[in-house]
């Protein structure tokens, strides 16, 4: 990873977390146990604090940032989809934020909620636990079922396992010139896309 200390504050990464080498961590960043930080993610703790709690993941090209003295937090088992932007907001426990969603300053997303792909969550927004949040500007559309939350939890467990897999076996390499005749596949882990709140 690319890691920078700023004003005497050095990012903290728990030994069981995985941060991709192309991710950038700056200043007051705290990454907890079992977290996954994907390629090209940018976590900039140059004004406020950035926190990923235990088991959270933030995927490829995501950005976490905030205004001075703010905390941008993803609570335990939070799941942040590709390209999402979190700015000075609080993402509750077990929340899914979909691809390319934007969550603005002071917003608080209740536990076990989904923020749909491409949603724009305005500053100061809040929602109850287990809400489906959609649109631009985002609104609560309905409550989520326990089955939908269970589906999200299964996806998050896969990212927690991915952190372990990357720590154990991800290595830089040169590409092959052609496909091997007996090329195996990465095991199908049983996940299938479902609904509009894509991971």
């Amino acid at each position: 990873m690319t890691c920078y200390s700023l004003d005497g504050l050095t990012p903290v990464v728990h030994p069981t977390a995985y941060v991709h080498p192309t991710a950038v961590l700056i200043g007051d960043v705290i990454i907890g146990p079992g977290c996954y930080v994907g390629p090209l993610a940018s976590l900039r703790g140059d004004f406020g604090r950035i926190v990923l709690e235990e088991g959270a993941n933030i995927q490829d090209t995501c950005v976490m940032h905030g205004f001075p003295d703010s905390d941008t937090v993803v609570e335990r088992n939070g799941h942040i989809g590709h390209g999402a932007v979190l700015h000075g907001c609080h993402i509750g426990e077990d929340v899914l934020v979909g691809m390319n969603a934007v969550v603005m300053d002071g917003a608080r997303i209740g536990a076990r909620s989904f923020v749909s792909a491409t949603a724009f969550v305005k500053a100061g927004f809040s929602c109850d636990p287990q809400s489906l949040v959609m649109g631009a500007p985002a609104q609560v559309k309905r409550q989520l079922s326990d089955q939908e939350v269970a589906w999200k939890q299964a996806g998050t467990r896969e990212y927690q396992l991915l952190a372990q897999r990357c720590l154990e076996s991800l290595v830089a390499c040169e590409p092959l010139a052609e496909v091997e005749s007996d090329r195996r596949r990465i095991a199908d882990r049983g996940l299938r896309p479902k609904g509009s709140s894509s991971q």
Side-chain angles (χ1 to χ4, degrees), residues 79-184:
H79 191 112
I80 313 302
H82 315 290
V85 177
L86 308 179
H87 202 277
C89 57
H90 195 105
I91 305 300
E93 183 171 344
D94 228 357
V95 165
L96 167 64
V97 175
M99 292 185 248
N100 291 311
V102 175
V103 185
M104 293 298 293
D105 302 273
R108 297 187 71 88
I109 307 300
R112 302 177 307 284
S113 294
F114 292 2
V115 176
S116 73
T118 74
F120 178 78
V121 178
K122 293 170 66 173
F125 175 93
S126 65
C127 66
D128 291 334
Q130 216 154 313
S131 295
L132 175 61
V133 177
M134 301 177 72
Q139 299 177 354
V140 175
K141 297 298 184 181
R142 62 175 173 84
Q143 291 301 110
L144 294 169
S145 69
D146 291 342
Q147 291 81 7
E148 288 170 312
V149 172
W151 170 80
K152 178 268 171 201
Q153 291 168 336
T156 300
R157 284 192 294 273
E158 289 299 319
Y159 269 89
Q160 292 163 350
L161 290 171
L162 180 60
Q164 295 174 17
R165 291 168 56 207
C166 289
L167 286 170
E168 293 168 1
S169 69
L170 184 73
V171 294
C173 65
E174 293 297 320
L176 301 174
E178 57 186 60
V179 178
E180 313 98 302
S181 60
D182 60 347
R183 186 176 181 89
R184 65 181 187 84

Side-chain angles (χ1 to χ4, degrees), residues 2-85:
T2 304
C3 189
Y4 298 95
S5 178
L6 180 66
D7 296 336
L9 280 167
T10 300
V12 177
V13 178
H14 193 275
T16 62
Y18 175 77
V19 180
H20 191 274
T22 62
V24 178
L25 311 181
I26 298 172
D28 194 3
V29 176
I30 302 168
I31 298 175
C35 290
Y36 173 88
V37 177
L40 303 174
S42 176
L43 285 71
R44 284 180 50 206
D46 46 15
F47 293 131
R49 176 167 289 175
I50 307 299
V51 179
L52 291 183
E53 293 186 359
E54 181 178 1
N57 69 76
I58 183 164
Q59 299 172 21
D60 318 54
T61 73
C62 288
V63 174
M64 292 182 71
H65 193 238
F67 287 129
D69 301 319
S70 69
D71 287 358
T72 305
V73 177
V74 178
E75 287 190 22
R76 185 174 177 272
N77 296 333
H79 191 112
I80 313 302
H82 315 290
V85 177

